[in-house]
Amino acid sequence: MILDGLVRRPARGTPAGPTNAVTLDAVGLTGVVQSGETAAMKLAAVNRCLEVLSDSMGKMPSYAMVRTTRERVYPPVLELLNLRPNEAMTPFIRRKMLEINRLTRGNAYEWVIRDPISMAPVELIPLPAELVSPWQDTTGRVWYDVTHPYNGGRMRLPSEDVLHYKGYTRDGLHCISVLQRAAQVIGAGLSAQEYQGSYYANGGQPSGVLSTEADLGGYVKDRSGKNTGVLKKDALRKEWERIHVGPDKAYKIAIMDHGLTYTPISATMADAKYVENHDVTVLDICNFFGVPAYKVNAGKQSYSSNEQNAIEYVVGTLQPTINQYEQEQTWKLLLPHQREAGLELHLNMMVELRGDFASRANWYRTMTEIGAYSVNDVLTHEDMPNVPGGESRKASLNYVPLEDWKELSKQRSGGGM
């Protein structure tokens, strides 16, 4: 992987950059961003949503086609996208990393290393989002300042050498992550999770008040009558907690002496309706990420509704992101003459739309019966080799135009009506 370029000084002729540019402390900023992300991912719903979305994007292979004819072609850049983008990553890991950055940081960046003669892409290197600063010069041209994650060295990359995949944005350049927009909901979920852990750590027993008619003012005295400096109330509380507080001491019988009375005051888990609140938090997080509840093992499970939700997930959640990836890659990874010839790069969503065998069989049967698919088209979608004669399409004669119905009926009946 060509990482030494990250420490090169800016090339001559590049602009000096914005005067109000902030010098990044690479190590410090990375630590702050990662700590917030790590805290959020301790919430099961957040972690699962990130895994579901990034895995969906990660498993979609790329293909190229001619816009006008829809014929599939195979430009060299497909080897980077589907075979090996760089020395350290598989295509799946590259796509997964980019989508995680886009969701958690609002931006995903990818450095395009090019052949110095042909300018064709030869390597794709995802960059940590917190180490990249996009900005525009006075002419409107976009530049990217990159900070080396280890030594703090800087370099400046032009827009055409950086693939920029964006989250929610108001200006088209700077973006807000899902974690930022869902911060309040995630914070409430983490607080509830912390409460739950504390509840069970204390044996699931409610806290309460120890009361007595006796005077508990003053300090505890030792056997010689000397003041120990420990308040009587603190000593009583400490002794109670030693015997009754903790998961291994739950349900022990309390023996009350000195006229003590114990009164529980805090609500139980049922009274606080913890489970209901937890479900609401999970659904809110799913709404922020656009992930169906069943994919995080929440909500009501129904095969028929889940199947429809899966289609809506692809169309409503994944497809807008896929379109962005396709448009960015088509513009920056294809050479000018390839774009002029009508080439486009796409992600194959069929890998996500594949259902069970019965649903796929019905779909293929319908598509072949209306002449939309050939046998080889079906085999291509199933990642199987073509067969001789499989390129021809078939159509049923059971449905004919109404204007031809009378004539065809005569032919079928032998010429008479």
Side-chain angles (χ1 to χ4, degrees):
M1 183 161 47
I2 309 173
L3 282 177
D4 57 337
L6 280 170
V7 299
R8 293 181 301 185
R9 307 315 304 166
R12 293 184 179 182
T14 57
T19 56
N20 60 345
V22 179
T23 301
L24 297 177
D25 177 355
V27 177
L29 179 61
T30 303
V32 171
V33 174
Q34 289 181 347
S35 63
E37 177 186 341
T38 301
M41 290 186 67
K42 289 181 179 178
L43 202 59
V46 173
N47 181 77
R48 185 60 186 153
C49 284
L50 291 174
E51 289 287 353
V52 167
L53 289 167
S54 60
D55 284 346
S56 293
M57 295 300 299
K59 66 187 180 184
M60 291 187 187
S62 297
Y63 67 93
M65 75 175 187
V66 180
R67 184 187 310 111
T68 53
T69 63
R70 303 199 179 191
E71 176 189 1
R72 294 211 178 185
V73 291
Y74 302 93
V77 72
L78 287 183
E79 291 192 6
L80 292 179
L81 296 172
N82 293 333
L83 189 60
R84 200 71 180 182
N86 58 63
E87 182 181 343
M89 300 178 189
T90 63
F92 175 87
I93 293 299
R94 165 190 162 267
R95 288 188 288 262
K96 183 179 178 70
M97 176 182 172
L98 289 171
E99 186 60 11
I100 287 177
N101 269 270
R102 195 187 69 84
L103 293 169
T104 60
R105 318 290 171 82
N107 301 276
Y109 301 100
E110 192 167 25
W111 182 18
V112 182
I113 306 297
R114 299 183 182 275
D115 182 272
I117 299 176
S118 66
M119 299 305 295
V122 295
E123 200 165 12
L124 301 175
I125 302 177
L127 300 170
E130 67 275 11
L131 302 182
V132 181
S133 299
W135 59 278
Q136 288 180 287
D137 60 22
T138 55
T139 67
R141 181 172 169 78
V142 178
W143 299 84
Y144 294 87
D145 288 346
V146 181
T147 302
H148 194 285
Y150 303 116
N151 58 26
R154 302 292 295 272
M155 73 173 296
R156 181 156 297 145
L157 298 176
S159 175
E160 58 267 23
D161 287 341
V162 177
L163 297 173
H164 187 180
Y165 310 107
K166 304 167 185 176
Y168 177 83
T169 178
R170 295 190 181 119
D171 62 4
L173 191 59
H174 304 89
C175 307
I176 302 174
S177 71
V178 179
L179 296 187
Q180 288 175 289
R181 288 183 285 151
Q184 187 172 2
V185 171
I186 293 174
L190 288 172
S191 297
Q193 188 167 277
E194 183 179 358
Y195 167 77
Q196 182 188 29
S198 175
Y199 182 90
Y200 286 111
N202 289 288
Q205 301 301 303
S207 59
V209 174
L210 286 172
S211 59
T212 180
E213 297 295 331
D215 181 16
L216 294 179
Y219 296 90
V220 177
K221 296 181 180 180
D222 59 16
R223 294 182 179 180
S224 63
K226 185 177 180 181
N227 193 332
T228 61
V230 179
L231 291 172
K232 291 180 181 179
K233 292 181 180 179
D234 290 340
L236 186 60
R237 182 187 300 108
K238 184 176 181 181
E239 181 65 12
W240 177 269
E241 292 176 348
R242 182 184 68 83
I243 297 175
H244 299 290
V245 177
D248 58 335
K249 302 168 185 176
Y251 307 109
K252 282 190 174 182
I253 297 175
I255 300 176
M256 317 297 287
D257 56 0
H258 302 293
L260 288 172
T261 301
Y262 176 74
T263 305
I265 60 173
S266 64
T268 64
M269 294 282 277
D271 294 333
K273 294 186 176 181
Y274 171 83
V275 174
E276 289 85 348
N277 292 337
H278 173 73
D279 288 344
V280 170
T281 299
V282 170
L283 293 177
D284 284 342
I285 291 173
C286 288
N287 284 333
F288 270 105
F289 282 96
V291 174
Y294 81 92
K295 284 186 174 290
V296 300
N297 299 315
K300 297 181 179 180
Q301 303 292 321
S302 169
Y303 177 81
S304 58
S305 62
N306 287 351
E307 185 178 22
Q308 183 61 37
N309 287 336
I311 297 174
E312 293 178 356
Y313 164 69
V314 173
V315 175
T317 300
L318 291 182
Q319 190 164 4
T321 303
I322 290 171
N323 287 346
Q324 181 189 171
Y325 275 67
E326 292 173 341
Q327 292 165 5
E328 184 77 351
Q329 291 174 6
T330 295
W331 184 251
K332 296 182 179 179
L333 293 183
L334 294 177
L335 298 176
H337 74 272
Q338 293 173 320
R339 295 197 302 270
E340 291 172 2
L343 267 64
E344 295 179 341
L345 292 175
H346 291 273
L347 290 171
N348 188 357
M349 290 192 297
M350 285 300 297
V351 298
E352 185 68 32
L353 288 171
R354 285 179 179 174
D356 58 84
F357 287 110
S359 299
R360 283 153 63 187
N362 289 332
W363 168 254
Y364 291 143
R365 184 180 300 108
T366 301
M367 296 300 283
T368 53
E369 286 178 353
I370 65 175
Y373 279 1
S374 67
V375 173
N376 284 346
D377 291 331
V378 174
L379 294 174
T380 298
H381 288 304
E382 291 295 311
D383 296 326
M384 298 173 65
N386 293 342
V387 296
E391 68 278 357
S392 60
R393 286 178 167 81
K394 298 177 294 183
S396 174
L397 288 176
N398 291 328
Y399 298 95
V400 298
L402 288 176
E403 60 268 22
D404 298 330
W405 182 84
K406 186 175 183 179
E407 181 64 27
L408 291 173
S409 296
K410 289 180 180 181
Q411 294 178 9
R412 180 170 292 184
S413 61
M417 282 295 291

